[in-house]
Amino acid sequence: MRFLLVAHLLGLIFLCKSYGQDRFTISGYVRDATSGENLIGASVYIKETLQGASTNHYGFYSITLEQGSYTLVASFIGYEVQEQELEIVNNERVNFLLDPVAVTTDIVEITSERLDHNVQSTAMGTINIDVERIRTLPAFLGEVDILKTIQLMPGVQSSGEGNTGMYVRGGGPDQNLILLDEAVVYNASHLFGFFSVFNADAIKNVELIKGGMPANYGGRLASVLDITMKEGNNRKYEARGGLGLISSRLTVEGPIQKEKSSFIVSGRRTYIDVLMRPFIRRDSPFRNSGYYFYDLNAKANYILSDKDRIFVSGYFGRDVFSFNNEDSEFSNSIAWGNATTSIRWNHLFSDRLFMNTSLIYSNYEFDFSARQTDFDIALRSGINDWNAKVDFNYFPDAFHNLKFGLNYIYHIFTPNNATANFREVDIQLGDPVKLYSHEAALYINDEITLSENIAFNVGLRYSYFEHVGPFDRFVMGDLNRIVDTLSYNRGESIKTYNNLEPRLSMRFKLNANSSVKAAYTQNYQYIHLASVSGMTMPTDIWVPSTDLVEPLFGTQYALGYFRNFFDNRLETSIELYYKTMENLIEFREGALPEDNINNNIDNNFVFGEGESYGAEFFINKRFDKLTGWVGYTLSWTNRTFPDINKGRTFPAKYDRRHDLSTVASYRYNDRLTFSAVFVYASGDAITIPTGRYFIEGSVINQFEERNSYRMEPYHRLDISIEYLHRKTEKYESSFNFSVFNVYNRANPFYIYYETTGDLESLSVEIKAKQVSLFPILPSITWNFKY
Amino acid sequence: MNYKNIFILFLLALLFYACEKDITLDIPPPEEKIVVEGWIEQNKPAQVILSRNAAFFSAIDTSTLERLIIADATVLVREIETDVQEQLNVSIDFNFFPPFIYRGEHLLGKINHSYELTVIVDDFELTAVTSIPEVVKMDSVWFEPDDQLDTLGLIYFGFTDPPELGNYYRVFAKRLHKDIRFVPVRGSVYDDIFFNGQDVEYGFFRGRDRYRPVDEEEGFERFYFKVGDTIFTRVAMMDKRHFDFWRSYEEAIYAGGNPFAAPISLASNIEGGLGVWGGYAATYDTIIAKPQ
C-alpha cells in the first residue's frame, strides 16, 4: 500500500513533465502596495475559467495555461481586488501590488467570487488568523495575544486559566509544532503561560493546522502553528508601538534600500517589577526581588534579483525572576527563554519551480540557581537545534501544486543537569548529561485538482531519527536499582527509527457553496516533553526518543462538511475526527524529581496510548459591520497506561466534553469598534483523594481512580472597546479598553485541602478549598503608528 | 530542596488577586483498607500500629476514633532465617495514634536478618517482609549555631559511607525533657546516591513531632536546635523498600500542599494493605549543644 502510494506520486511528477509544450506560465508575487510585504495565501485566478492558485509562504504563485487571452484576478482579504488583461504567448511574470481597502468600504462588493476558500480548498482543520483582527478583541491585561486567540477556535483548548498552552484534538502541549519563521519555538509562553512569546506587532501571518497535516510538515502529532514575521516595509519608515498596563512595545521598520531590502525590529518588555518597587516596604522579604520578561524580534531581507531573495530573522526572549532576601539567607534566580535564528534563501529556478533553503537555529534554556545558608544548587536544562531545510514548490500546470524537500535537524538535549555543594564541598549529582540525535525527513506532497468537483492532497513523508553517543545507559534491576551501565562513544549509534507517514485529504464539491472533505494522516514524533505537573511549566524537560522511549505515533481520520451562505458572507463547517496516539510518556507513579539524578530520566517513564474523538462546529462571519465566530467542540480524550491507574483507561486532564467560544466585533463607526468574547468549557479532570489514613501522626491522602473528578466548568465574558482617537496620513493613535471576566466569575484554578486541628486533642478536620485566579480585570492600552 | 515548590510559591505570591472559597466535593467512599505502621530494630522487639482508612473528608473526633482502632488483630512476626515466630500483644499507649500498639517480647531484631509480618483482622490478611541491614557508625556528631541566629543551630553528622551503592539512612533526634520520642529531623530520609563511598558531613534542621500540635509561639525557632539542649541522635539504616516508603512519605508531607504536583501515593511494602513494615539498624549518640 505504501509502496503503491510512492509509485503513484513519482508517476505524477513524470506525468506533469510529459505535456505542456504549447503551454505558458504566468507567475509572480502578490504584495502589499503600501509596505511591500508579501501576501501569504492570496488568491490569483483566471476570471474566464476560474482556474487559479494561492500564493505560497513567500507570496509566490504560478499558473500554467494554454495560449490565449485571459483576465487575471488577484484578491486577498482586506485588499482591493486587481484585474489584469493578458494575451499569453510567452511565459510571463506578473507581480501584483494590492492596496489595502479603506475601512469604510464594503469589502464583499469588491472581492466577489473567490472568497469561498473555505469550501474550495482541500485543507481541513486549517485556520488562518488575521493579526489585525485580533487587535480589536479584548486583551488580557492589555496584551494582544495570538495564542489566546487560537484557543478560541474549535478543537483547540486552553490548558488553564489565562494559560497560553494549548491542547489540539486531545494532544498534549508538546504535540504542537510551533514555528516562527520556520524555527521551532519550544516554549511559547512567558510568565507561566499567562502571555505568549509572540509580539503581535512583529507578526504577519498565523496559520494553524490541526488535522490533515500536509507532508511538508512533520515531527509532531497534533498540530502546526506556523507563524510568519513581517518582513518590514520596503517603501517607507514606520514606527508603531503601545503603552500597556504591564508592558510596552515598540516596532520600527523601513527600507534599507527602497523596494529592494527592508528591516523590522520589534521589542517588548514588562515593567511590573519597576512599577511595584516603590510599593514594596523596605523591610519586606521581597525587597530585592522582581520579575520581568522581554522579547526582541528582528528581521531583514534583500531582493538580490528577480529570482533571488534572502531573509534573515531572529527572535530572543527571556523571563527573569529573582528573589533576594538579605535576612533569610535565601536567594534564588530563575531565567528561561527561547532564541531562534533563520537564514533563508528563495530562488526561482524557473517560472514553475520555486525553492527555499533555510538554515535555522533554535534554542530553549532554563537556568535555576539558589543559595540557602551553606547550600548552593544550580540546575540547567534545555534544547539546541541546528536545522537545514530545502523545500521545492513546483507548479507543472493548473492541476498540480507539488511540494517536495528534505530536512535535517541535529538536536542537543540537556535534561536537568544539577550541580550542588554544601560548604564548598561538591555533592555528587552525576556528570552533566547531554543527549545527541539526528532527525531527518524527506517528503513529497501534491495538491491535485482532478476536476471542478474533486481535488486531492496526497503526500508521503519519510522520517528518520537516530540517538547517538556519547551516552551512558543505566540498566535498572529489581526495586528500581541500577544494576549495570552501558557506555556508548561519541557518534556511536544507539537506536535508529525509520518511518513512513502517508497523508491524504480530499475535497468533493457538492455545489457552488458546499463541499465534503475527508482526511487521513499518520505522524511520528521523536521528541517528548516530560512534565511532572499538569501545567506547562518552564521546568518541563524535552527528551528525545531513545532505545527505551519509542517515537510517538498518531493516526487521524477526519470528515467534514463545509457550507457557505449569503454569498460567502457566512462560513460554516462541521468536522468529525477520530485519533489514536501510541507511545505516550508519563512519569511512573510515585517517581520523584531526585530519581533522575545519577540515572537516565527515561528510566522513570511509563508508556501508554490515547484516543480522542469529537465533533467541531464552526460558524464564521468575516465581513460587514458585525463580524465574529462561534466555535463549539464536543469531544472525548482518554489515556490507557498499563502502569498507571492499575491499567484502567482514564480521562486525560483536559478531556473536555463541551468547549464553546463566541467572538463578536461590531464596528459602530470609523472610530469605534465594540468586541466581546465568551467562553465555556467543561471542568478539568483531576485526581482527588477518596480516603485518608495516618502514618507517624500525619494525615496521608489515599488516591484511587486517576482523573475521576471534574472541576466546575469554566466560563467567562470579556469585552472591549477600540477607539481610534486620531488618524491622519502620517499618524494614528488608538485606545483599547478591555474588561476581562466581566461578571467576575470565580473559575476554578486548582483545589487544595486544608487540615486543621491535631491528634493530641482528637479534633482533625479536612476542608477542600478552591482557588481562582483572575477576578474582573479592566485594562487600557494606547497604540500608535507613525 | 525542591525547586518546583519555589515556583509555586512565587506563582502564588504573584497572584495577589487570587481568591479562594470552601467547596464541597462529592467523593465516593474509598475501598476499606488496613494500615500498618510497623518496625523492628536490632536488639529490640517488633512494634506495630494498626488502623483503618476513612473517607477523605470525615472528621476525626472521639466518636469516629473508635472506628479507626484495631485492637483484636492477630499480628505475627517470623524471623525468616531461623523460622522463629512470635505473636505480638496489644497494649494502650497514648504516645501513638491510634493509641493501641502491638509489641513483641522475645523475638529481637538481628543485623542481616529478615522478618515477615502477618496481620489477620476480620476478612483481611496482610503480609510484608523487611530486613535489618548493617549499621553504619557515625564518626562524629555535633551541634553548630547558625552564624546569624546566635543560640540556634543545626546538628551535624560525619561518617564514611560504605563502598557499595545502596545505603539508606533515616535520622531522628530527641531533646532531653522536650521530646517524648525520637522525632525524624526535617528531610530525615536520604540515600548514598550523592556520596557513595565518601567521607561526608550532613547537617539537619529539627523536625516536628507530628503527633503533637505545632507550637506557634516557638516561631521559626521550631526549625532549630538550641544552645543548652541535650540531644540524643538516632541514625537508622534501612533496606530499599523501607527507604522508598519514608521517602515518598516525606515528599507527600512537604509537597503535600502543592496542587500542581502529581498525586503522591505512598510506596507501601504491605501486601493487601497500606503502610510500611520496616527494619532499622540504628546507631545512637548524644550531643550537648554548646555555643561556639
Side-chain angles (χ1 to χ4, degrees):
Chain A
M1 163 69 204
R2 281 173 174 178
F3 173 73
L4 277 180
L5 192 67
V6 183
H8 172 74
L9 284 168
L10 290 175
L12 282 174
I13 299 174
F14 290 113
L15 196 73
C16 304
K17 290 212 158 190
S18 63
Y19 59 95
Q21 264 74 16
D22 54 346
R23 290 159 163 261
F24 299 102
T25 303
I26 313 164
S27 62
Y29 292 88
V30 180
R31 291 178 178 138
D32 180 309
T34 52
S35 67
E37 292 269 347
N38 290 332
L39 297 177
I40 301 170
S43 167
V44 182
Y45 64 100
I46 307 298
K47 204 172 186 180
E48 290 77 10
T49 64
L50 289 182
Q51 280 176 337
S54 297
T55 55
N56 69 11
H57 261 84
Y58 300 91
F60 181 75
Y61 76 94
S62 169
I63 305 172
T64 298
L65 298 157
E66 284 174 26
Q67 192 171 337
S69 325
Y70 299 98
T71 314
L72 199 59
V73 184
S75 70
F76 190 60
I77 290 238
Y79 288 84
E80 311 245 5
V81 173
Q82 266 185 29
E83 291 189 6
Q84 194 162 343
E85 311 244 320
L86 283 175
E87 181 71 36
I88 300 184
V89 288
N90 272 316
N91 286 345
E92 203 138 352
R93 178 63 50 86
V94 182
N95 292 338
F96 287 96
L97 289 171
L98 302 188
D99 290 303
V101 284
V103 192
T104 42
T105 331
D106 192 348
I107 305 162
V108 181
E109 296 300 310
I110 38 168
T111 38
S112 67
E113 295 107 315
R114 287 293 284 209
L115 285 169
D116 53 352
H117 187 77
N118 182 41
V119 169
Q120 286 284 357
S121 83
T122 53
M124 282 190 77
T126 303
I127 297 167
N128 273 289
I129 309 269
D130 182 355
V131 179
E132 291 305 317
R133 195 174 172 186
I134 295 176
R135 281 180 200 287
T136 58
L137 299 182
F140 172 66
L141 290 175
E143 291 295 300
V144 172
D145 205 308
I146 288 165
L147 291 188
K148 284 194 187 146
T149 310
I150 296 269
Q151 289 171 352
L152 298 172
M153 295 296 168
V156 185
Q157 301 173 345
S158 133
S159 65
E161 172 78 294
N163 206 305
T164 53
M166 56 181 193
Y167 301 106
V168 178
R169 291 187 172 171
D174 61 333
Q175 294 179 21
N176 305 315
L177 180 66
I178 301 178
L179 299 173
L180 179 65
D181 273 356
E182 295 188 54
V184 176
V185 176
Y186 280 96
N187 185 331
S189 65
H190 283 304
L191 188 57
F192 310 99
F194 296 126
F195 302 100
S196 82
V197 299
F198 304 111
N199 175 354
D201 285 352
I203 305 297
K204 173 158 75 175
N205 188 66
V206 181
E207 185 179 54
L208 172 76
I209 305 171
K210 55 185 174 159
M213 202 187 281
N216 50 322
Y217 293 110
R220 297 290 188 285
L221 292 198
S223 78
V224 180
L225 185 64
D226 195 346
I227 297 174
T228 311
M229 270 164 61
K230 280 182 187 163
E231 284 133 29
N233 196 322
N234 67 11
R235 272 140 223 264
K236 60 175 201 277
Y237 289 98
E238 217 175 62
R240 64 154 77 197
L243 282 176
L245 274 187
I246 62 156
S247 80
S248 283
R249 295 164 276 122
L250 182 67
T251 302
V252 180
E253 56 184 308
I256 299 170
Q257 202 180 342
K258 209 169 180 185
E259 287 177 39
K260 275 214 127 167
S261 54
S262 62
F263 75 94
I264 178 166
V265 179
S266 184
R268 170 171 75 158
R269 189 199 194 275
T270 60
Y271 35 67
I272 327 167
D273 53 334
V274 184
L275 292 182
M276 291 294 281
R277 198 151 286 159
F279 301 103
I280 299 174
R281 291 215 326 256
R282 201 163 279 279
D283 55 352
S284 158
F286 290 98
R287 179 72 198 163
N288 292 309
S289 307
Y291 169 82
Y292 62 92
F293 70 75
Y294 61 92
D295 289 310
L296 194 66
N297 290 77
K299 188 167 178 174
N301 76 90
Y302 189 70
I303 301 174
L304 297 170
S305 70
D306 189 35
K307 291 192 162 145
D308 297 279
R309 187 170 187 181
I310 283 178
F311 299 86
V312 180
S313 55
Y315 164 82
F316 187 85
R318 277 287 176 276
D319 281 61
V320 181
F321 161 66
S322 59
F323 179 87
N324 285 305
N325 185 345
E326 284 152 22
D327 304 328
S328 85
E329 295 184 24
F330 177 74
S331 64
N332 175 213
S333 99
I334 309 171
W336 67 97
N338 300 279
T340 70
T341 310
S342 323
I343 301 170
R344 291 180 293 171
W345 169 43
N346 286 178
H347 178 70
L348 266 184
F349 282 101
S350 74
D351 296 329
R352 299 185 202 173
L353 184 61
F354 177 92
M355 182 198 71
N356 174 57
T357 305
S358 310
L359 292 173
I360 303 157
Y361 170 72
S362 296
N363 160 279
Y364 171 68
E365 240 175 49
F366 172 80
D367 282 300
F368 170 97
S369 65
R371 181 180 178 90
Q372 182 168 25
T373 323
D374 295 328
F375 188 73
D376 280 297
I377 185 162
L379 271 160
R380 170 173 279 223
S381 70
I383 181 167
N384 272 299
D385 278 1
W386 297 92
N387 184 349
K389 269 177 89 189
V390 186
D391 300 291
F392 292 93
N393 200 345
Y394 181 56
F395 308 87
D397 54 43
F399 305 106
H400 292 274
N401 179 350
L402 204 65
K403 286 178 179 168
F404 51 96
L406 48 97
N407 181 9
Y408 165 79
I409 307 170
Y410 182 54
H411 295 286
I412 305 166
F413 296 85
T414 316
N416 260 358
N417 274 341
T419 51
N421 62 63
F422 181 73
R423 299 194 162 185
E424 317 298 314
V425 179
D426 285 345
I427 297 170
Q428 285 175 27
L429 294 175
D431 297 327
V433 177
K434 283 197 172 176
L435 302 172
Y436 303 87
S437 34
H438 303 289
E439 183 172 0
L442 205 63
Y443 71 86
I444 180 159
N445 194 83
D446 192 10
E447 221 179 306
I448 311 161
T449 314
L450 270 192
S451 70
E452 165 75 8
N453 293 332
I454 302 174
F456 286 98
N457 194 326
V458 192
L460 185 68
R461 187 178 176 92
Y462 161 76
S463 57
Y464 172 88
F465 192 86
E466 187 182 13
H467 176 210
V468 296
F471 179 64
D472 288 328
R473 161 63 66 199
F474 298 102
V475 182
M476 305 296 279
D478 289 350
L479 298 174
N480 285 316
R481 260 189 296 228
I482 296 164
V483 291
D484 197 9
T485 308
L486 303 173
S487 288
Y488 296 89
N489 295 325
R490 175 163 292 278
E492 192 179 342
S493 177
I494 299 161
K495 181 72 188 176
T496 307
Y497 294 99
N498 288 283
N499 289 298
L500 282 179
E501 308 171 27
R503 315 278 174 85
L504 175 69
S505 60
M506 59 165 292
R507 178 219 74 199
F508 183 76
K509 212 166 127 184
L510 301 171
N511 55 44
N513 25 12
S514 64
S515 65
V516 173
K517 299 182 194 180
Y520 169 77
T521 52
Q522 283 193 352
N523 295 49
Y524 282 88
Q525 177 171 338
Y526 299 96
I527 64 171
H528 318 255
L529 190 64
S531 171
V532 188
S533 62
M535 273 173 84
T536 35
M537 294 278 247
T539 50
D540 295 347
I541 299 161
W542 287 96
V543 288
S545 288
T546 61
D547 49 335
L548 283 191
V549 185
E550 289 188 41
L552 277 167
F553 172 58
T555 309
Q556 187 177 164
Y557 306 84
L559 184 67
Y561 175 70
F562 294 74
R563 164 129 206 200
N564 289 0
F565 295 93
F566 313 116
D567 288 336
N568 300 319
R569 278 163 204 247
L570 195 68
E571 295 175 350
T572 64
S573 64
I574 301 171
E575 290 190 49
L576 308 174
Y577 70 92
Y578 176 76
K579 193 167 146 182
T580 57
M581 292 158 267
E582 291 170 30
N583 304 323
L584 295 166
I585 62 165
E586 290 263 0
F587 277 103
R588 109 185 112 70
E589 282 182 344
L592 304 173
E594 53 266 39
D595 288 334
N596 300 328
I597 296 168
N598 282 335
N599 198 347
N600 303 123
I601 186 169
D602 53 6
N603 276 332
N604 292 308
F605 292 161
V606 290
F607 307 94
E609 51 193 50
E611 74 169 355
S612 179
Y613 49 92
E616 296 165 3
F617 302 84
F618 191 46
I619 301 172
N620 188 10
K621 188 168 180 295
R622 296 198 291 176
F623 312 109
D624 303 334
K625 280 187 169 259
L626 179 70
T627 60
W629 68 85
V630 180
Y632 168 71
T633 311
L634 175 71
S635 65
W636 286 260
T637 302
N638 295 315
R639 296 284 185 264
T640 310
F641 282 68
D643 299 318
I644 293 180
N645 204 33
K646 298 184 182 123
R648 291 189 294 259
T649 299
F650 59 92
K653 176 179 188 268
Y654 40 88
D655 168 41
R656 284 189 199 139
R657 201 67 64 246
H658 307 287
D659 197 273
L660 173 80
S661 306
T662 310
V663 176
S665 268
Y666 181 72
R667 206 181 64 239
Y668 178 73
N669 58 30
D670 288 356
R671 286 187 177 279
L672 277 174
T673 304
F674 300 92
S675 300
V677 171
F678 175 75
V679 291
Y680 175 94
S682 304
D684 280 356
I686 57 166
T687 309
I688 54 165
T690 51
R692 53 124 176 82
Y693 55 98
F694 292 95
I695 293 286
E696 269 191 2
S698 303
V699 178
I700 303 296
N701 299 347
Q702 182 189 353
F703 297 97
E704 286 175 335
E705 284 293 319
R706 169 83 70 124
N707 292 349
S708 63
Y709 187 81
R710 291 276 166 183
M711 293 219 266
E712 283 176 34
Y714 182 99
H715 53 89
R716 195 190 77 223
L717 175 73
D718 306 336
I719 54 167
S720 69
I721 301 170
E722 172 94 0
Y723 172 62
L724 183 66
H725 136 261
R726 217 167 140 198
K727 186 172 181 172
T728 62
E729 277 284 295
K730 292 213 154 154
Y731 175 72
E732 204 180 298
S733 153
S734 66
F735 289 92
N736 181 307
F737 305 92
S738 293
V739 181
F740 178 87
N741 197 3
V742 173
Y743 55 86
N744 202 15
R745 155 89 176 162
N747 280 304
F749 185 53
Y750 63 81
I751 293 171
Y752 79 99
Y753 312 103
E754 192 182 74
T755 309
T756 49
D758 63 272
L759 287 171
E760 213 170 52
S761 57
L762 265 184
S763 61
V764 176
E765 200 187 4
I766 303 173
K767 266 192 202 153
K769 305 245 183 194
Q770 177 180 297
V771 175
S772 306
L773 284 190
F774 303 117
I776 181 166
L777 282 179
S779 64
I780 178 168
T781 310
W782 172 59
N783 293 310
F784 63 88
K785 199 171 152 184
Y786 272 104
Chain B
M1 173 95 258
N2 188 337
Y3 64 91
K4 286 200 176 67
N5 290 342
I6 294 170
F7 257 105
I8 304 306
L9 231 152
F10 167 56
L11 190 68
L12 297 180
L14 177 97
L15 302 164
F16 42 94
Y17 283 124
C19 63
E20 61 175 50
K21 63 173 181 186
D22 288 359
I23 53 165
T24 314
L25 305 184
D26 184 19
I27 313 178
E31 196 189 329
E32 193 185 340
K33 299 261 186 172
I34 305 295
V35 184
V36 177
E37 191 185 330
W39 64 95
I40 182 163
E41 188 176 316
Q42 87 273 26
N43 305 324
K44 290 185 178 169
Q47 309 203 45
V48 175
I49 300 164
L50 298 177
S51 61
R52 285 176 216 272
N53 66 340
F56 186 71
F57 290 108
S58 59
I60 307 268
D61 49 41
T62 36
S63 62
T64 52
L65 175 63
E66 205 175 321
R67 217 201 63 80
L68 291 174
I69 294 170
I70 301 173
D72 57 351
T74 306
V75 181
L76 302 164
V77 173
R78 184 173 70 91
E79 190 172 73
I80 292 173
E81 286 77 4
T82 57
D83 204 23
V84 174
Q85 182 165 296
E86 183 182 32
Q87 180 165 356
L88 312 191
N89 294 314
V90 70
S91 58
I92 292 181
D93 185 339
F94 284 101
N95 286 329
F96 295 101
F97 186 86
F100 287 81
I101 187 159
Y102 292 78
R103 287 198 175 98
E105 211 172 316
H106 307 294
L107 180 63
L108 306 182
K110 292 191 200 80
I111 299 291
N112 288 327
H113 281 58
S114 310
Y115 299 88
E116 183 189 60
L117 174 76
T118 307
V119 174
I120 301 163
V121 51
D122 305 337
D123 295 334
F124 295 98
E125 180 168 340
L126 286 64
T127 55
V129 176
T130 190
S131 58
I132 301 178
E134 292 274 0
V135 173
V136 178
K137 284 269 178 208
M138 297 297 109
D139 300 328
S140 51
V141 294
W142 69 97
F143 166 86
E144 209 175 294
D146 188 286
D147 292 346
Q148 279 134 38
L149 294 172
D150 196 19
T151 60
L152 303 175
L154 276 57
I155 54 170
Y156 291 82
F157 296 81
F159 60 100
T160 307
D161 182 70
E164 71 287 354
L165 194 66
N167 294 98
Y168 307 100
Y169 301 82
R170 192 160 190 227
V171 180
F172 303 81
K174 179 182 174 182
R175 294 165 304 157
L176 185 66
H177 306 312
K178 288 183 175 173
D179 297 319
I180 53 170
R181 75 186 91 232
F182 278 100
V183 176
V185 297
R186 201 172 167 78
S188 72
V189 193
Y190 58 99
D191 66 346
D192 59 355
I193 200 151
F194 300 143
F195 52 74
N196 182 41
Q198 293 190 357
D199 291 337
V200 272
E201 285 182 5
Y202 245 69
F204 293 97
F205 288 90
R206 181 154 70 87
R208 177 190 147 203
D209 184 349
R210 292 182 171 266
Y211 289 101
R212 305 171 79 183
V214 178
D215 185 354
E216 298 292 349
E217 280 177 21
E218 257 194 308
F220 74 96
E221 283 197 15
R222 68 174 182 270
F223 301 114
Y224 293 91
F225 297 92
K226 200 171 186 175
V227 168
D229 284 344
T230 298
I231 306 150
F232 305 113
T233 64
R234 173 183 182 232
V235 180
M237 320 301 136
M238 298 167 286
D239 67 11
K240 173 78 161 74
R241 291 195 66 183
H242 189 192
F243 162 78
D244 284 343
F245 176 83
W246 289 116
R247 194 178 57 148
S248 65
Y249 166 86
E250 290 202 334
E251 193 80 18
I253 300 295
Y254 295 128
N258 179 352
F260 304 104
I264 297 169
S265 291
L266 301 198
S268 175
N269 66 349
I270 309 286
E271 294 286 330
L274 299 169
V276 69
W277 165 239
Y280 283 127
T283 174
Y284 294 84
D285 292 284
T286 305
I287 300 169
I288 304 205
K290 290 183 200 140
Q292 241 174 1

